[in-house]
Amino acid sequence: MYFKENIPILLLFAAFNIVILLIGILDSSIPNVAVTYIFLFNLLIFVVYMIWDYTRKRSFNNELLKLGSLNDIAVMSTGNTPAQRHIYVKLDELRVEHQHTVDKESRKTRENLDELTRFIHDMKMPVTTMKLMIDDLDGSDRQKLSGEWTRLNGMLNEILYLKRLPNIKNDLYIEDIDIEKILNTSIKKLRDICMEKNIGFDIHLHEKNVHTDRKWLQFVMDQIITNSVKYSSDNDIVIKSQVTAGRMQLSVTDYGRGIKEKDIHRIFEAGFTSTSDHHDDQSTGMGMYLTKEVCVALAINIDVTSVYGDYTTVTLTFSKANEFSKITMK
């Protein structure tokens, strides 16, 4: 890079010495030895200058090329030449301005998130009251209203967990958990919808205990089972557990709509719903995204297999019991 920048100087030196050689050739009164001395002396001065100039500029140029972000400017040297010092001052001004902008936007984001959190908590009270009123109803009206209430409550919970997600590492409490209790809680929340859609549960748990965080695992199971119920009707959802290579595996299989092969690898993307069922307004596209992010934090491997129009299976593979300390230390 240095030599590319100094091509004009190299060309100027070459032209200057070519002129000297031409003068020596054309003017016979000038001894060839004198011309040679002048040429070699110029060459020596030029080489010494280039070495000195390269040495004083090398350090700053290398630091400039290694910059990974504007924040790295703070640990750079200020340079050895007026041009380098000017560049450093300009970059540092940009760094300070950028940091002020980031801080300003961060404050706005925190304020917006705090307002959103307060709004959701305020919404929770009337939502809870609605649930009590719905439970006092009978017949089909109760089932329909209960279904809409479940959907509304689920969306509010998604937003709450989305806000908590960045700080999930500080919110983990790893303990021994009975997975059957977690499943029963998730299923109970969807009881009315399951009755309306004639959906049952076929549960076979060969292993019930896992080491993980109860609250976040409950969220994961709520999302998975809610999706199974949402896209199924008139069939049973099969839930199984087994131990493979010392790790507990839990699978949830529904025989509903299924997922197209081209969509499988995208279901964990934020906001993605479907490439074909655009008329489906039940999905926000955030549930499986949050589920994946929580599973990563809990060191749970989540895998989805599906045949469109036939079935969908979600499999969770939990960490071994003696690995919980690794999770909390990440």
Side-chain angles (χ1 to χ4, degrees), residues 26-60:
L26 296 175
D27 190 347
S28 58
S29 64
I30 301 176
N32 290 336
V33 174
V35 174
T36 303
Y37 282 154
I38 294 172
F39 175 81
L40 293 176
F41 186 72
N42 286 340
L43 179 62
L44 177 62
I45 293 175
F46 180 75
V47 170
V48 170
Y49 167 78
M50 292 295 289
I51 293 174
W52 170 76
D53 191 54
Y54 172 77
T55 302
R56 67 175 183 148
K57 292 180 179 179
R58 179 181 57 183
S59 177
F60 182 85

PDB file of all heavy atoms in Angstrom, residues 26-60:
ATOM      1  N   LEU A  26      24.371  13.554 -24.118  1.00  0.00           N
ATOM      2  CA  LEU A  26      24.326  14.561 -25.161  1.00  0.00           C
ATOM      3  C   LEU A  26      25.459  15.578 -25.052  1.00  0.00           C
ATOM      4  O   LEU A  26      25.906  16.137 -26.054  1.00  0.00           O
ATOM      5  CB  LEU A  26      22.962  15.281 -25.140  1.00  0.00           C
ATOM      6  CG  LEU A  26      21.735  14.386 -25.450  1.00  0.00           C
ATOM      7  CD1 LEU A  26      20.449  15.188 -25.275  1.00  0.00           C
ATOM      8  CD2 LEU A  26      21.824  13.833 -26.872  1.00  0.00           C
ATOM      9  N   ASP A  27      25.879  15.855 -23.804  1.00  0.00           N
ATOM     10  CA  ASP A  27      26.933  16.856 -23.604  1.00  0.00           C
ATOM     11  C   ASP A  27      28.256  16.129 -23.335  1.00  0.00           C
ATOM     12  O   ASP A  27      28.505  15.632 -22.230  1.00  0.00           O
ATOM     13  CB  ASP A  27      26.562  17.762 -22.431  1.00  0.00           C
ATOM     14  CG  ASP A  27      27.491  18.976 -22.333  1.00  0.00           C
ATOM     15  OD1 ASP A  27      28.536  18.975 -23.015  1.00  0.00           O
ATOM     16  OD2 ASP A  27      27.151  19.901 -21.572  1.00  0.00           O
ATOM     17  N   SER A  28      29.100  16.089 -24.341  1.00  0.00           N
ATOM     18  CA  SER A  28      30.358  15.348 -24.230  1.00  0.00           C
ATOM     19  C   SER A  28      31.365  16.025 -23.312  1.00  0.00           C
ATOM     20  O   SER A  28      32.356  15.422 -22.900  1.00  0.00           O
ATOM     21  CB  SER A  28      30.992  15.164 -25.624  1.00  0.00           C
ATOM     22  OG  SER A  28      31.217  16.438 -26.233  1.00  0.00           O
ATOM     23  N   SER A  29      31.092  17.298 -22.971  1.00  0.00           N
ATOM     24  CA  SER A  29      32.015  18.016 -22.087  1.00  0.00           C
ATOM     25  C   SER A  29      31.898  17.574 -20.629  1.00  0.00           C
ATOM     26  O   SER A  29      32.757  17.869 -19.808  1.00  0.00           O
ATOM     27  CB  SER A  29      31.772  19.523 -22.189  1.00  0.00           C
ATOM     28  OG  SER A  29      30.464  19.851 -21.731  1.00  0.00           O
ATOM     29  N   ILE A  30      30.803  16.893 -20.317  1.00  0.00           N
ATOM     30  CA  ILE A  30      30.593  16.421 -18.946  1.00  0.00           C
ATOM     31  C   ILE A  30      31.134  14.993 -18.854  1.00  0.00           C
ATOM     32  O   ILE A  30      30.705  14.109 -19.603  1.00  0.00           O
ATOM     33  CB  ILE A  30      29.104  16.426 -18.558  1.00  0.00           C
ATOM     34  CG1 ILE A  30      28.521  17.841 -18.686  1.00  0.00           C
ATOM     35  CG2 ILE A  30      28.910  15.907 -17.144  1.00  0.00           C
ATOM     36  CD1 ILE A  30      27.031  17.918 -18.419  1.00  0.00           C
ATOM     37  N   PRO A  31      32.076  14.746 -17.950  1.00  0.00           N
ATOM     38  CA  PRO A  31      32.665  13.406 -17.822  1.00  0.00           C
ATOM     39  C   PRO A  31      31.600  12.372 -17.409  1.00  0.00           C
ATOM     40  O   PRO A  31      30.692  12.658 -16.617  1.00  0.00           O
ATOM     41  CB  PRO A  31      33.725  13.577 -16.723  1.00  0.00           C
ATOM     42  CG  PRO A  31      33.979  15.037 -16.650  1.00  0.00           C
ATOM     43  CD  PRO A  31      32.705  15.731 -17.036  1.00  0.00           C
ATOM     44  N   ASN A  32      31.751  11.198 -17.963  1.00  0.00           N
ATOM     45  CA  ASN A  32      30.814  10.120 -17.614  1.00  0.00           C
ATOM     46  C   ASN A  32      30.883   9.750 -16.136  1.00  0.00           C
ATOM     47  O   ASN A  32      29.880   9.380 -15.528  1.00  0.00           O
ATOM     48  CB  ASN A  32      31.108   8.891 -18.477  1.00  0.00           C
ATOM     49  CG  ASN A  32      30.742   9.110 -19.931  1.00  0.00           C
ATOM     50  OD1 ASN A  32      29.889   9.947 -20.245  1.00  0.00           O
ATOM     51  ND2 ASN A  32      31.390   8.383 -20.833  1.00  0.00           N
ATOM     52  N   VAL A  33      32.080   9.877 -15.563  1.00  0.00           N
ATOM     53  CA  VAL A  33      32.247   9.550 -14.134  1.00  0.00           C
ATOM     54  C   VAL A  33      31.422  10.498 -13.271  1.00  0.00           C
ATOM     55  O   VAL A  33      30.780  10.097 -12.303  1.00  0.00           O
ATOM     56  CB  VAL A  33      33.742   9.613 -13.743  1.00  0.00           C
ATOM     57  CG1 VAL A  33      33.889   9.408 -12.231  1.00  0.00           C
ATOM     58  CG2 VAL A  33      34.539   8.578 -14.502  1.00  0.00           C
ATOM     59  N   ALA A  34      31.393  11.776 -13.635  1.00  0.00           N
ATOM     60  CA  ALA A  34      30.617  12.761 -12.880  1.00  0.00           C
ATOM     61  C   ALA A  34      29.127  12.464 -12.961  1.00  0.00           C
ATOM     62  O   ALA A  34      28.393  12.566 -11.963  1.00  0.00           O
ATOM     63  CB  ALA A  34      30.913  14.162 -13.396  1.00  0.00           C
ATOM     64  N   VAL A  35      28.690  12.111 -14.173  1.00  0.00           N
ATOM     65  CA  VAL A  35      27.271  11.761 -14.337  1.00  0.00           C
ATOM     66  C   VAL A  35      26.910  10.546 -13.499  1.00  0.00           C
ATOM     67  O   VAL A  35      25.861  10.500 -12.846  1.00  0.00           O
ATOM     68  CB  VAL A  35      26.957  11.505 -15.826  1.00  0.00           C
ATOM     69  CG1 VAL A  35      25.519  10.999 -15.991  1.00  0.00           C
ATOM     70  CG2 VAL A  35      27.161  12.766 -16.643  1.00  0.00           C
ATOM     71  N   THR A  36      27.831   9.570 -13.495  1.00  0.00           N
ATOM     72  CA  THR A  36      27.574   8.355 -12.695  1.00  0.00           C
ATOM     73  C   THR A  36      27.507   8.678 -11.223  1.00  0.00           C
ATOM     74  O   THR A  36      26.631   8.186 -10.486  1.00  0.00           O
ATOM     75  CB  THR A  36      28.687   7.309 -12.964  1.00  0.00           C
ATOM     76  OG1 THR A  36      28.744   7.012 -14.365  1.00  0.00           O
ATOM     77  CG2 THR A  36      28.404   6.035 -12.179  1.00  0.00           C
ATOM     78  N   TYR A  37      28.436   9.534 -10.743  1.00  0.00           N
ATOM     79  CA  TYR A  37      28.420   9.928  -9.331  1.00  0.00           C
ATOM     80  C   TYR A  37      27.108  10.630  -8.962  1.00  0.00           C
ATOM     81  O   TYR A  37      26.519  10.383  -7.893  1.00  0.00           O
ATOM     82  CB  TYR A  37      29.610  10.837  -9.026  1.00  0.00           C
ATOM     83  CG  TYR A  37      30.915  10.114  -8.864  1.00  0.00           C
ATOM     84  CD1 TYR A  37      32.129  10.764  -9.120  1.00  0.00           C
ATOM     85  CD2 TYR A  37      30.937   8.783  -8.445  1.00  0.00           C
ATOM     86  CE1 TYR A  37      33.340  10.099  -8.975  1.00  0.00           C
ATOM     87  CE2 TYR A  37      32.150   8.114  -8.299  1.00  0.00           C
ATOM     88  CZ  TYR A  37      33.331   8.761  -8.568  1.00  0.00           C
ATOM     89  OH  TYR A  37      34.506   8.103  -8.424  1.00  0.00           O
ATOM     90  N   ILE A  38      26.692  11.534  -9.815  1.00  0.00           N
ATOM     91  CA  ILE A  38      25.437  12.272  -9.547  1.00  0.00           C
ATOM     92  C   ILE A  38      24.256  11.298  -9.484  1.00  0.00           C
ATOM     93  O   ILE A  38      23.394  11.388  -8.598  1.00  0.00           O
ATOM     94  CB  ILE A  38      25.202  13.346 -10.627  1.00  0.00           C
ATOM     95  CG1 ILE A  38      26.272  14.424 -10.542  1.00  0.00           C
ATOM     96  CG2 ILE A  38      23.810  13.952 -10.487  1.00  0.00           C
ATOM     97  CD1 ILE A  38      26.230  15.431 -11.680  1.00  0.00           C
ATOM     98  N   PHE A  39      24.234  10.358 -10.444  1.00  0.00           N
ATOM     99  CA  PHE A  39      23.142   9.389 -10.480  1.00  0.00           C
ATOM    100  C   PHE A  39      23.121   8.530  -9.205  1.00  0.00           C
ATOM    101  O   PHE A  39      22.063   8.346  -8.569  1.00  0.00           O
ATOM    102  CB  PHE A  39      23.292   8.489 -11.717  1.00  0.00           C
ATOM    103  CG  PHE A  39      22.279   7.384 -11.776  1.00  0.00           C
ATOM    104  CD1 PHE A  39      20.990   7.623 -12.244  1.00  0.00           C
ATOM    105  CD2 PHE A  39      22.608   6.098 -11.364  1.00  0.00           C
ATOM    106  CE1 PHE A  39      20.057   6.600 -12.291  1.00  0.00           C
ATOM    107  CE2 PHE A  39      21.681   5.082 -11.403  1.00  0.00           C
ATOM    108  CZ  PHE A  39      20.390   5.327 -11.864  1.00  0.00           C
ATOM    109  N   LEU A  40      24.287   7.987  -8.812  1.00  0.00           N
ATOM    110  CA  LEU A  40      24.347   7.127  -7.616  1.00  0.00           C
ATOM    111  C   LEU A  40      24.058   7.916  -6.340  1.00  0.00           C
ATOM    112  O   LEU A  40      23.411   7.406  -5.415  1.00  0.00           O
ATOM    113  CB  LEU A  40      25.731   6.472  -7.528  1.00  0.00           C
ATOM    114  CG  LEU A  40      26.057   5.449  -8.631  1.00  0.00           C
ATOM    115  CD1 LEU A  40      27.493   4.946  -8.485  1.00  0.00           C
ATOM    116  CD2 LEU A  40      25.075   4.291  -8.599  1.00  0.00           C
ATOM    117  N   PHE A  41      24.537   9.177  -6.304  1.00  0.00           N
ATOM    118  CA  PHE A  41      24.279  10.003  -5.114  1.00  0.00           C
ATOM    119  C   PHE A  41      22.767  10.285  -4.966  1.00  0.00           C
ATOM    120  O   PHE A  41      22.213  10.206  -3.872  1.00  0.00           O
ATOM    121  CB  PHE A  41      25.069  11.309  -5.233  1.00  0.00           C
ATOM    122  CG  PHE A  41      24.986  12.152  -4.001  1.00  0.00           C
ATOM    123  CD1 PHE A  41      25.642  11.790  -2.832  1.00  0.00           C
ATOM    124  CD2 PHE A  41      24.227  13.328  -4.009  1.00  0.00           C
ATOM    125  CE1 PHE A  41      25.558  12.576  -1.697  1.00  0.00           C
ATOM    126  CE2 PHE A  41      24.144  14.117  -2.873  1.00  0.00           C
ATOM    127  CZ  PHE A  41      24.807  13.736  -1.711  1.00  0.00           C
ATOM    128  N   ASN A  42      22.124  10.607  -6.073  1.00  0.00           N
ATOM    129  CA  ASN A  42      20.664  10.811  -6.043  1.00  0.00           C
ATOM    130  C   ASN A  42      19.924   9.546  -5.612  1.00  0.00           C
ATOM    131  O   ASN A  42      18.950   9.589  -4.850  1.00  0.00           O
ATOM    132  CB  ASN A  42      20.165  11.254  -7.420  1.00  0.00           C
ATOM    133  CG  ASN A  42      20.518  12.690  -7.725  1.00  0.00           C
ATOM    134  OD1 ASN A  42      20.804  13.466  -6.822  1.00  0.00           O
ATOM    135  ND2 ASN A  42      20.499  13.047  -9.007  1.00  0.00           N
ATOM    136  N   LEU A  43      20.402   8.417  -6.154  1.00  0.00           N
ATOM    137  CA  LEU A  43      19.772   7.137  -5.805  1.00  0.00           C
ATOM    138  C   LEU A  43      19.918   6.845  -4.314  1.00  0.00           C
ATOM    139  O   LEU A  43      18.960   6.400  -3.660  1.00  0.00           O
ATOM    140  CB  LEU A  43      20.403   6.014  -6.624  1.00  0.00           C
ATOM    141  CG  LEU A  43      19.850   4.591  -6.353  1.00  0.00           C
ATOM    142  CD1 LEU A  43      18.359   4.533  -6.710  1.00  0.00           C
ATOM    143  CD2 LEU A  43      20.637   3.553  -7.166  1.00  0.00           C
ATOM    144  N   LEU A  44      21.101   7.108  -3.761  1.00  0.00           N
ATOM    145  CA  LEU A  44      21.330   6.884  -2.331  1.00  0.00           C
ATOM    146  C   LEU A  44      20.412   7.759  -1.490  1.00  0.00           C
ATOM    147  O   LEU A  44      19.798   7.290  -0.516  1.00  0.00           O
ATOM    148  CB  LEU A  44      22.794   7.160  -1.985  1.00  0.00           C
ATOM    149  CG  LEU A  44      23.163   7.025  -0.497  1.00  0.00           C
ATOM    150  CD1 LEU A  44      22.933   5.603  -0.025  1.00  0.00           C
ATOM    151  CD2 LEU A  44      24.612   7.451  -0.263  1.00  0.00           C
ATOM    152  N   ILE A  45      20.328   9.046  -1.854  1.00  0.00           N
ATOM    153  CA  ILE A  45      19.451   9.963  -1.105  1.00  0.00           C
ATOM    154  C   ILE A  45      17.993   9.498  -1.178  1.00  0.00           C
ATOM    155  O   ILE A  45      17.264   9.505  -0.180  1.00  0.00           O
ATOM    156  CB  ILE A  45      19.597  11.401  -1.649  1.00  0.00           C
ATOM    157  CG1 ILE A  45      20.998  11.950  -1.342  1.00  0.00           C
ATOM    158  CG2 ILE A  45      18.522  12.310  -1.061  1.00  0.00           C
ATOM    159  CD1 ILE A  45      21.266  13.317  -1.946  1.00  0.00           C
ATOM    160  N   PHE A  46      17.589   9.067  -2.369  1.00  0.00           N
ATOM    161  CA  PHE A  46      16.201   8.632  -2.541  1.00  0.00           C
ATOM    162  C   PHE A  46      15.900   7.384  -1.717  1.00  0.00           C
ATOM    163  O   PHE A  46      14.853   7.306  -1.068  1.00  0.00           O
ATOM    164  CB  PHE A  46      15.942   8.358  -4.026  1.00  0.00           C
ATOM    165  CG  PHE A  46      14.546   7.894  -4.315  1.00  0.00           C
ATOM    166  CD1 PHE A  46      13.477   8.794  -4.294  1.00  0.00           C
ATOM    167  CD2 PHE A  46      14.282   6.556  -4.586  1.00  0.00           C
ATOM    168  CE1 PHE A  46      12.184   8.358  -4.543  1.00  0.00           C
ATOM    169  CE2 PHE A  46      12.995   6.119  -4.836  1.00  0.00           C
ATOM    170  CZ  PHE A  46      11.935   7.019  -4.815  1.00  0.00           C
ATOM    171  N   VAL A  47      16.804   6.405  -1.715  1.00  0.00           N
ATOM    172  CA  VAL A  47      16.595   5.162  -0.948  1.00  0.00           C
ATOM    173  C   VAL A  47      16.523   5.467   0.542  1.00  0.00           C
ATOM    174  O   VAL A  47      15.656   4.954   1.266  1.00  0.00           O
ATOM    175  CB  VAL A  47      17.716   4.144  -1.250  1.00  0.00           C
ATOM    176  CG1 VAL A  47      17.635   2.956  -0.287  1.00  0.00           C
ATOM    177  CG2 VAL A  47      17.617   3.653  -2.690  1.00  0.00           C
ATOM    178  N   VAL A  48      17.441   6.303   1.031  1.00  0.00           N
ATOM    179  CA  VAL A  48      17.425   6.667   2.459  1.00  0.00           C
ATOM    180  C   VAL A  48      16.126   7.364   2.822  1.00  0.00           C
ATOM    181  O   VAL A  48      15.515   7.089   3.870  1.00  0.00           O
ATOM    182  CB  VAL A  48      18.637   7.564   2.792  1.00  0.00           C
ATOM    183  CG1 VAL A  48      18.496   8.142   4.212  1.00  0.00           C
ATOM    184  CG2 VAL A  48      19.932   6.782   2.662  1.00  0.00           C
ATOM    185  N   TYR A  49      15.672   8.272   1.948  1.00  0.00           N
ATOM    186  CA  TYR A  49      14.405   8.981   2.207  1.00  0.00           C
ATOM    187  C   TYR A  49      13.226   8.006   2.258  1.00  0.00           C
ATOM    188  O   TYR A  49      12.368   8.102   3.150  1.00  0.00           O
ATOM    189  CB  TYR A  49      14.170  10.038   1.136  1.00  0.00           C
ATOM    190  CG  TYR A  49      12.752  10.581   1.149  1.00  0.00           C
ATOM    191  CD1 TYR A  49      12.353  11.520   2.092  1.00  0.00           C
ATOM    192  CD2 TYR A  49      11.810  10.109   0.230  1.00  0.00           C
ATOM    193  CE1 TYR A  49      11.045  11.988   2.117  1.00  0.00           C
ATOM    194  CE2 TYR A  49      10.499  10.568   0.253  1.00  0.00           C
ATOM    195  CZ  TYR A  49      10.120  11.505   1.206  1.00  0.00           C
ATOM    196  OH  TYR A  49       8.829  11.963   1.240  1.00  0.00           O
ATOM    197  N   MET A  50      13.163   7.083   1.296  1.00  0.00           N
ATOM    198  CA  MET A  50      12.052   6.140   1.241  1.00  0.00           C
ATOM    199  C   MET A  50      12.016   5.248   2.480  1.00  0.00           C
ATOM    200  O   MET A  50      10.946   4.973   3.039  1.00  0.00           O
ATOM    201  CB  MET A  50      12.151   5.285  -0.024  1.00  0.00           C
ATOM    202  CG  MET A  50      11.922   6.057  -1.323  1.00  0.00           C
ATOM    203  SD  MET A  50      10.232   6.716  -1.479  1.00  0.00           S
ATOM    204  CE  MET A  50       9.312   5.215  -1.745  1.00  0.00           C
ATOM    205  N   ILE A  51      13.206   4.789   2.928  1.00  0.00           N
ATOM    206  CA  ILE A  51      13.265   3.952   4.141  1.00  0.00           C
ATOM    207  C   ILE A  51      12.806   4.738   5.355  1.00  0.00           C
ATOM    208  O   ILE A  51      12.033   4.258   6.181  1.00  0.00           O
ATOM    209  CB  ILE A  51      14.698   3.409   4.345  1.00  0.00           C
ATOM    210  CG1 ILE A  51      15.048   2.437   3.223  1.00  0.00           C
ATOM    211  CG2 ILE A  51      14.818   2.732   5.703  1.00  0.00           C
ATOM    212  CD1 ILE A  51      16.495   1.973   3.256  1.00  0.00           C
ATOM    213  N   TRP A  52      13.282   5.978   5.473  1.00  0.00           N
ATOM    214  CA  TRP A  52      12.879   6.828   6.619  1.00  0.00           C
ATOM    215  C   TRP A  52      11.387   7.122   6.589  1.00  0.00           C
ATOM    216  O   TRP A  52      10.698   7.042   7.611  1.00  0.00           O
ATOM    217  CB  TRP A  52      13.687   8.128   6.560  1.00  0.00           C
ATOM    218  CG  TRP A  52      13.189   9.178   7.533  1.00  0.00           C
ATOM    219  CD1 TRP A  52      13.379   9.213   8.873  1.00  0.00           C
ATOM    220  CD2 TRP A  52      12.414  10.337   7.199  1.00  0.00           C
ATOM    221  NE1 TRP A  52      12.767  10.319   9.423  1.00  0.00           N
ATOM    222  CE2 TRP A  52      12.164  11.034   8.415  1.00  0.00           C
ATOM    223  CE3 TRP A  52      11.918  10.856   6.004  1.00  0.00           C
ATOM    224  CZ2 TRP A  52      11.433  12.217   8.455  1.00  0.00           C
ATOM    225  CZ3 TRP A  52      11.203  12.045   6.057  1.00  0.00           C
ATOM    226  CH2 TRP A  52      10.966  12.702   7.267  1.00  0.00           C
ATOM    227  N   ASP A  53      10.864   7.466   5.433  1.00  0.00           N
ATOM    228  CA  ASP A  53       9.449   7.810   5.306  1.00  0.00           C
ATOM    229  C   ASP A  53       8.560   6.595   5.571  1.00  0.00           C
ATOM    230  O   ASP A  53       7.524   6.699   6.239  1.00  0.00           O
ATOM    231  CB  ASP A  53       9.177   8.360   3.908  1.00  0.00           C
ATOM    232  CG  ASP A  53       7.801   8.994   3.787  1.00  0.00           C
ATOM    233  OD1 ASP A  53       7.486   9.888   4.590  1.00  0.00           O
ATOM    234  OD2 ASP A  53       7.030   8.565   2.900  1.00  0.00           O
ATOM    235  N   TYR A  54       8.970   5.438   5.059  1.00  0.00           N
ATOM    236  CA  TYR A  54       8.195   4.208   5.275  1.00  0.00           C
ATOM    237  C   TYR A  54       8.162   3.846   6.755  1.00  0.00           C
ATOM    238  O   TYR A  54       7.121   3.466   7.294  1.00  0.00           O
ATOM    239  CB  TYR A  54       8.802   3.068   4.468  1.00  0.00           C
ATOM    240  CG  TYR A  54       8.188   1.718   4.768  1.00  0.00           C
ATOM    241  CD1 TYR A  54       6.937   1.370   4.258  1.00  0.00           C
ATOM    242  CD2 TYR A  54       8.857   0.807   5.562  1.00  0.00           C
ATOM    243  CE1 TYR A  54       6.369   0.142   4.543  1.00  0.00           C
ATOM    244  CE2 TYR A  54       8.295  -0.427   5.852  1.00  0.00           C
ATOM    245  CZ  TYR A  54       7.051  -0.763   5.343  1.00  0.00           C
ATOM    246  OH  TYR A  54       6.493  -1.985   5.642  1.00  0.00           O
ATOM    247  N   THR A  55       9.321   3.986   7.427  1.00  0.00           N
ATOM    248  CA  THR A  55       9.417   3.628   8.843  1.00  0.00           C
ATOM    249  C   THR A  55       8.506   4.490   9.709  1.00  0.00           C
ATOM    250  O   THR A  55       7.819   4.004  10.601  1.00  0.00           O
ATOM    251  CB  THR A  55      10.871   3.750   9.334  1.00  0.00           C
ATOM    252  OG1 THR A  55      11.712   2.906   8.535  1.00  0.00           O
ATOM    253  CG2 THR A  55      10.988   3.332  10.794  1.00  0.00           C
ATOM    254  N   ARG A  56       8.488   5.788   9.457  1.00  0.00           N
ATOM    255  CA  ARG A  56       7.695   6.686  10.307  1.00  0.00           C
ATOM    256  C   ARG A  56       6.189   6.562  10.040  1.00  0.00           C
ATOM    257  O   ARG A  56       5.369   6.886  10.899  1.00  0.00           O
ATOM    258  CB  ARG A  56       8.139   8.125  10.135  1.00  0.00           C
ATOM    259  CG  ARG A  56       7.852   8.735   8.764  1.00  0.00           C
ATOM    260  CD  ARG A  56       8.219  10.186   8.708  1.00  0.00           C
ATOM    261  NE  ARG A  56       7.868  10.790   7.419  1.00  0.00           N
ATOM    262  CZ  ARG A  56       7.504  12.052   7.280  1.00  0.00           C
ATOM    263  NH1 ARG A  56       7.436  12.843   8.334  1.00  0.00           N
ATOM    264  NH2 ARG A  56       7.210  12.522   6.083  1.00  0.00           N
ATOM    265  N   LYS A  57       5.817   6.105   8.855  1.00  0.00           N
ATOM    266  CA  LYS A  57       4.392   5.980   8.537  1.00  0.00           C
ATOM    267  C   LYS A  57       3.834   4.575   8.767  1.00  0.00           C
ATOM    268  O   LYS A  57       2.625   4.394   8.832  1.00  0.00           O
ATOM    269  CB  LYS A  57       4.155   6.367   7.070  1.00  0.00           C
ATOM    270  CG  LYS A  57       4.383   7.832   6.759  1.00  0.00           C
ATOM    271  CD  LYS A  57       4.133   8.119   5.298  1.00  0.00           C
ATOM    272  CE  LYS A  57       4.334   9.598   4.968  1.00  0.00           C
ATOM    273  NZ  LYS A  57       4.122   9.862   3.531  1.00  0.00           N
ATOM    274  N   ARG A  58       4.699   3.578   8.876  1.00  0.00           N
ATOM    275  CA  ARG A  58       4.265   2.185   8.913  1.00  0.00           C
ATOM    276  C   ARG A  58       3.343   1.877  10.094  1.00  0.00           C
ATOM    277  O   ARG A  58       2.289   1.265   9.927  1.00  0.00           O
ATOM    278  CB  ARG A  58       5.488   1.269   8.965  1.00  0.00           C
ATOM    279  CG  ARG A  58       5.139  -0.221   9.038  1.00  0.00           C
ATOM    280  CD  ARG A  58       6.402  -1.040   9.105  1.00  0.00           C
ATOM    281  NE  ARG A  58       7.229  -0.639  10.243  1.00  0.00           N
ATOM    282  CZ  ARG A  58       8.431  -1.158  10.504  1.00  0.00           C
ATOM    283  NH1 ARG A  58       8.946  -2.060   9.674  1.00  0.00           N
ATOM    284  NH2 ARG A  58       9.125  -0.745  11.553  1.00  0.00           N
ATOM    285  N   SER A  59       3.717   2.298  11.288  1.00  0.00           N
ATOM    286  CA  SER A  59       2.953   1.961  12.484  1.00  0.00           C
ATOM    287  C   SER A  59       1.514   2.457  12.398  1.00  0.00           C
ATOM    288  O   SER A  59       0.557   1.711  12.642  1.00  0.00           O
ATOM    289  CB  SER A  59       3.642   2.547  13.718  1.00  0.00           C
ATOM    290  OG  SER A  59       2.874   2.279  14.879  1.00  0.00           O
ATOM    291  N   PHE A  60       1.345   3.725  12.040  1.00  0.00           N
ATOM    292  CA  PHE A  60       0.003   4.305  11.964  1.00  0.00           C
ATOM    293  C   PHE A  60      -0.819   3.635  10.867  1.00  0.00           C
ATOM    294  O   PHE A  60      -2.006   3.328  11.053  1.00  0.00           O
ATOM    295  CB  PHE A  60       0.101   5.807  11.698  1.00  0.00           C
ATOM    296  CG  PHE A  60      -1.233   6.506  11.654  1.00  0.00           C
ATOM    297  CD1 PHE A  60      -1.843   6.941  12.813  1.00  0.00           C
ATOM    298  CD2 PHE A  60      -1.886   6.719  10.433  1.00  0.00           C
ATOM    299  CE1 PHE A  60      -3.076   7.584  12.779  1.00  0.00           C
ATOM    300  CE2 PHE A  60      -3.115   7.355  10.387  1.00  0.00           C
ATOM    301  CZ  PHE A  60      -3.706   7.789  11.564  1.00  0.00           C
TER     302      PHE A  60
END
